[in-house]
Amino acid sequence: MIGKKILRFNNIESTNTFIRNNINKLDHGDMVVAKTQSKGKGRLGNTWLSEEGNLYFSFLLKEDLRRSEIFSIIMKCSVSIIEILNKYNVEAEIKYPNDIVVKKQKISGILIESIGYNDINNLIVGIGININQNTFKNISIVATSIYKETKKITNLDTLLNDFIEKYNSYIDINDLYKKYIDKSVIIGENVAFNNANYKVKTILKNGNILLINKENIERNVTYGNISLKEYYHKK
């Protein structure tokens, strides 16, 4: 369970960094929320621009996990975000591995940091959701928000509680995986692998991608072996 204890800040460097720096003082499921972040984190060292009016939070999982099980947490977060956005009349999809998009415009991102190598003792899950922001400047991809999609102001605390309730409700991994696949936009996309052309056939439960070429030859690859960044720039 997450969200029993929530620490709230007006501004901190980043919610992930706060948990990492205070990991021995926090318990499993504890959550950190900030109105703004001065150094919000994205994948691969990218910066998440953190203006006021959006939702920025992280939570700590203190449980023994194998590295191969991390993707189940990504699925759980992704599907939870998709379903609460739907509640606010926003139809979103999942752009593997960690983005939530609306018509190829990013509305949410997930960042997971693990402590441990093969066996993981602590997992920090950071999430940013664009809620009430209307304009997005100086970013490399097109972004959107609940407000841009609906023209309605959303209460941040209510949406956070919706997320906590939805996340805590998921138990059946098979049901979760089906919902994740149903909302995955990269399935069927063309990608290059080892200088050859493939299509994404599906995403596997461990987070690997299954590719297939025109000769029906399949390749089981990890995310780092292909690039999906072109997705945002397609018309």
Side-chain angles (χ1 to χ4, degrees), residues 169-188:
S169 72
Y170 282 120
I171 298 174
D172 187 340
I173 188 66
N174 292 318
D175 177 57
L176 192 64
Y177 176 69
K178 181 180 183 302
K179 289 180 177 180
Y180 183 92
I181 293 298
D182 286 345
K183 288 294 185 177
S184 294
V185 295
I186 69 160
I187 295 174

Side-chain angles (χ1 to χ4, degrees), residues 95 104 184-192 197-201 209-212 226-228 230-232 234:
K95 187 263 174 187
K104 295 193 175 184
S184 294
V185 295
I186 69 160
I187 295 174
E189 289 284 317
N190 295 311
V191 296
N197 295 319
Y198 288 83
K199 282 187 180 292
V200 177
K201 184 175 182 179
I209 300 175
L210 188 63
L211 305 179
I212 189 167
I226 63 172
S227 174
L228 297 166
E230 295 84 1
Y231 168 83
Y232 287 114
K234 293 181 179 177

Side-chain angles (χ1 to χ4, degrees), residues 16-41:
N16 268 37
T17 299
F18 181 90
I19 289 181
R20 179 176 285 275
N21 291 342
N22 294 276
I23 203 159
N24 293 326
K25 302 175 185 177
L26 299 172
D27 296 323
H28 174 81
D30 284 355
M31 183 173 283
V32 176
V33 182
K35 288 184 178 180
T36 60
Q37 301 177 113
S38 59
K39 295 181 181 179
K41 292 183 176 183

Side-chain angles (χ1 to χ4, degrees), residues 11-184:
N11 176 268
I12 54 176
E13 183 174 309
S14 87
T15 53
N16 268 37
T17 299
F18 181 90
I19 289 181
R20 179 176 285 275
N21 291 342
N22 294 276
I23 203 159
N24 293 326
K25 302 175 185 177
L26 299 172
D27 296 323
H28 174 81
D30 284 355
M31 183 173 283
V32 176
V33 182
K35 288 184 178 180
T36 60
Q37 301 177 113
S38 59
K39 295 181 181 179
K41 292 183 176 183
R43 288 188 70 253
L44 305 177
N46 293 324
T47 299
W48 179 277
L49 298 180
S50 306
E51 295 190 20
E52 190 169 354
N54 300 323
L55 190 58
Y56 313 109
F57 64 97
S58 300
F59 56 89
L60 174 62
L61 299 179
K62 284 191 170 183
E63 54 187 351
D64 292 329
L65 291 170
R66 298 290 294 173
R67 189 157 292 278
S68 59
E69 295 176 293
I70 291 179
F71 190 66
S72 65
I73 305 299
I74 295 177
M75 288 196 295
K76 203 171 181 179
C77 292
S78 298
V79 172
S80 296
I81 294 168
I82 287 286
E83 295 198 343
I84 61 172
L85 287 175
N86 186 62
K87 177 179 176 180
Y88 290 85
N89 298 313
V90 176
E91 293 290 332
E93 298 175 292
I94 300 166
K95 187 263 174 187
Y96 174 97
N98 71 323
D99 288 351
I100 308 299
V101 298
V102 178
K103 299 184 289 288
K104 295 193 175 184
Q105 299 177 87
K106 185 171 179 177
I107 196 168
S108 178
I110 302 163
L111 175 66
I112 291 186
E113 299 183 67
S114 59
I115 299 174
Y117 187 63
N118 288 325
D119 294 314
I120 296 167
N121 300 318
N122 297 285
L123 207 64
I124 303 169
V125 182
I127 294 175
I129 306 176
N130 298 331
I131 309 295
N132 295 319
Q133 188 171 349
N134 188 34
T135 58
F136 296 85
K137 300 177 181 179
N138 302 320
I139 57 175
S140 60
I141 60 174
V142 179
T144 190
S145 65
I146 293 178
Y147 180 80
K148 283 188 69 176
E149 298 300 319
T150 67
K151 303 305 178 187
K152 294 179 180 179
I153 296 293
T154 299
N155 183 281
L156 302 185
D157 289 339
T158 300
L159 193 141
L160 178 63
N161 290 335
D162 288 340
F163 175 85
I164 293 169
E165 181 178 349
K166 183 64 68 174
Y167 181 94
N168 287 335
S169 72
Y170 282 120
I171 298 174
D172 187 340
I173 188 66
N174 292 318
D175 177 57
L176 192 64
Y177 176 69
K178 181 180 183 302
K179 289 180 177 180
Y180 183 92
I181 293 298
D182 286 345
K183 288 294 185 177
S184 294

